[in-house]
Amino acid sequence: MSSQVRSWLESNDPSKSVSWSKGIPENLSSPPWRVPETLMRSKDINTLLEYSMQVQSSTIQTQMKSADDLQLLELNYFILSNASLTVAGLLSRYLKSIGISSKPVCGIFKPVVDFAGLKGAPSVFLKVDNFVIDNTYLHQTEKATQKKNVKDFYSIIPKLRTGKAYLEESPSQTKLEMVGKKELGDNPEDSGEYLEKCCETEFNMLKHLANVCNNDDVNVGTVVYDRIMREFIKEKFEVEVGDVAEEVTKKCWGCGEAVEKLSACSGCQFARYCGKECITKEWGDMHKVMHRINKKYKEKKEARDLSIAKLKI
């Protein structure tokens, strides 16, 4: 954890620092916003979904006392935005902690609207029982206030997020016209192939979540969101959800076994392996792409550090 983020978390209670946004409107009572009330334990599920969305769309007004505080600047606009893979993975983890089964699914989001040339986009949503849940907040613009952004989100997005907009179809294998690198950018974390790989197994998802949280200096929103959600679950359900980054460093990233003697990856120094066979297996399966993602994280951090350095001059 970066010194700046660690220092802020140690000296602040994130949940008490939040400027809370409006929650999911009551009229959005069905999937993909909430599960039906007829579903067993729907109250507990919807409580988590409502709180999760509210956390993502809220802000933390951190004081900019120095140039280094720019690492926390995005929290002034939202806590977490456009993070369908990470939100679905963490929510599945939270639901499991209170005894509710769910599964992150990589599919295609293609709104059913009368708009020529609309393409499908790779997306991750949550399946609870047989219901599709999309709990991802999308920030609109830094030019508007938090209140205006959230109001616009709940005014515009429900028209796009309908049940028929979510297709359980492989983004990498589909014959549908899909958005490309021009729209998605060149970050491998957003590629259909990576999303699919993360959703293949629970352990693959854990490795993704751990890698995101381990790179907290560029993913501060995820770390803060996770901290607030885990504190809420502890208070509401009397269940402690462990730190995902700590959990996976106790297991081999190749075979998933908890082995006493593990070696760190020579590249990222984070992933752990019990032997060369597991290193080779996981490198070709997922870890090579994760290194490319970490390279993007590094580029983002270096660009921000350069901006901070200029401010200090």
Side-chain angles (χ1 to χ4, degrees), residues 194 197 203-204 207 211 252-255 264-295:
Y194 182 73
K197 181 58 66 175
F203 193 47
N204 279 359
K207 288 184 285 187
N211 190 59
C252 171
W253 282 38
C255 62
C265 169
S266 59
C268 66
Q269 297 296 315
F270 180 58
R272 300 291 193 270
Y273 299 99
C274 63
K276 291 184 178 180
E277 185 177 335
C278 281
I279 293 174
T280 303
K281 172 183 176 293
E282 219 260 327
W283 177 256
D285 186 53
M286 186 174 183
H287 202 59
K288 183 177 181 179
V289 179
M290 204 169 278
H291 273 226
R292 290 169 53 207
I293 291 169
N294 289 346
K295 183 179 179 181

Side-chain angles (χ1 to χ4, degrees), residues 176-193:
L176 288 174
E177 188 176 5
M178 300 286 287
V179 296
K181 286 187 176 180
K182 182 179 179 180
E183 295 91 350
L184 291 175
D186 61 351
N187 189 344
E189 192 172 13
D190 298 323
S191 70
E193 291 82 358

Side-chain angles (χ1 to χ4, degrees), residues 13 21 33 39 94 112 145 148 171 186-187 235 241 295 313:
D13 181 345
S21 73
W33 301 92
L39 184 66
Y94 303 150
V112 184
T145 63
K148 180 69 164 56
D186 61 351
N187 189 344
E235 181 180 336
V241 182
K295 183 179 179 181
I313 296 175

Side-chain angles (χ1 to χ4, degrees), residues 6 26 37 49 66-67 69 80 85 115 141 151 154 218 234 244 246 258 263 272 280 291 305:
R6 184 189 302 113
E26 291 185 7
E37 292 182 358
L49 295 178
S66 69
D69 290 331
L80 196 57
L85 172 62
F115 184 78
T141 173
K151 181 181 179 182
Y154 287 121
V218 290
K234 182 178 180 180
V244 66
E246 292 181 6
S263 300
R272 300 291 193 270
T280 303
H291 273 226
D305 289 348

Side-chain angles (χ1 to χ4, degrees), residues 158-172:
K159 299 172 184 176
L160 305 176
R161 288 186 183 175
T162 61
K164 293 182 179 180
Y166 298 89
L167 308 176
E168 292 186 50
E169 189 173 332
S170 166
S172 63

Side-chain angles (χ1 to χ4, degrees), residues 36-298:
E37 292 182 358
T38 53
L39 184 66
M40 186 178 296
R41 296 194 65 185
S42 61
K43 185 175 180 180
D44 291 338
I45 297 168
N46 287 331
T47 294
L48 277 182
L49 295 178
E50 290 158 8
Y51 194 75
S52 168
M53 187 68 84
Q54 193 170 12
V55 173
Q56 292 174 66
S57 60
S58 295
T59 64
I60 295 179
Q61 300 305 311
T62 54
Q63 295 182 358
M64 297 294 112
K65 297 179 180 179
S66 69
D68 290 329
D69 290 331
L70 284 174
Q71 292 184 27
L72 306 171
L73 181 61
E74 71 176 35
L75 298 178
N76 289 349
Y77 302 107
F78 56 85
I79 290 179
L80 196 57
S81 172
N82 197 26
S84 68
L85 172 62
T86 297
V87 169
L90 286 172
L91 270 176
S92 183
R93 181 173 170 81
Y94 303 150
L95 288 166
K96 182 180 179 180
S97 75
I98 61 172
I100 297 171
S101 297
S102 63
K103 179 175 174 54
V105 174
C106 178
I108 297 170
F109 177 67
K110 190 176 186 300
V112 184
V113 293
D114 187 15
F115 184 78
L118 189 65
K119 301 176 182 178
S123 184
V124 176
F125 41 87
L126 202 60
K127 288 293 290 292
V128 182
D129 197 59
N130 200 37
F131 300 104
V132 169
I133 295 296
D134 186 345
N135 194 248
T136 310
Y137 174 68
L138 298 176
H139 176 69
Q140 309 298 304
T141 173
E142 280 77 30
K143 296 179 180 179
T145 63
Q146 172 196 9
K147 185 177 181 180
K148 180 69 164 56
N149 271 307
V150 175
K151 181 181 179 182
D152 287 348
F153 172 77
Y154 287 121
S155 173
I156 298 169
I157 301 303
K159 299 172 184 176
L160 305 176
R161 288 186 183 175
T162 61
K164 293 182 179 180
Y166 298 89
L167 308 176
E168 292 186 50
E169 189 173 332
S170 166
S172 63
Q173 302 295 323
T174 185
K175 294 182 180 180
L176 288 174
E177 188 176 5
M178 300 286 287
V179 296
K181 286 187 176 180
K182 182 179 179 180
E183 295 91 350
L184 291 175
D186 61 351
N187 189 344
E189 192 172 13
D190 298 323
S191 70
E193 291 82 358
Y194 182 73
L195 300 183
E196 289 174 11
K197 181 58 66 175
C198 290
C199 293
E200 271 185 13
T201 67
E202 183 178 349
F203 193 47
N204 279 359
M205 180 63 77
L206 285 179
K207 288 184 285 187
H208 161 74
L209 296 174
N211 190 59
V212 170
C213 291
N214 186 55
N215 287 276
D216 64 294
D217 46 2
V218 290
N219 295 309
V220 62
T222 300
V223 175
V224 171
Y225 165 82
D226 183 46
R227 176 72 67 89
I228 294 173
M229 290 298 297
R230 288 192 287 133
E231 287 177 356
F232 174 73
I233 292 167
K234 182 178 180 180
E235 181 180 336
K236 179 73 176 178
F237 300 100
E238 299 182 346
V239 173
E240 288 205 37
V241 182
D243 183 285
V244 66
E246 292 181 6
E247 180 179 331
V248 296
T249 55
K250 298 174 183 177
K251 297 178 180 180
C252 171
W253 282 38
C255 62
E257 295 295 322
V259 182
E260 186 174 337
K261 189 175 181 179
L262 295 168
S263 300
C265 169
S266 59
C268 66
Q269 297 296 315
F270 180 58
R272 300 291 193 270
Y273 299 99
C274 63
K276 291 184 178 180
E277 185 177 335
C278 281
I279 293 174
T280 303
K281 172 183 176 293
E282 219 260 327
W283 177 256
D285 186 53
M286 186 174 183
H287 202 59
K288 183 177 181 179
V289 179
M290 204 169 278
H291 273 226
R292 290 169 53 207
I293 291 169
N294 289 346
K295 183 179 179 181
K296 289 292 181 181
Y297 288 158
K298 184 179 179 182

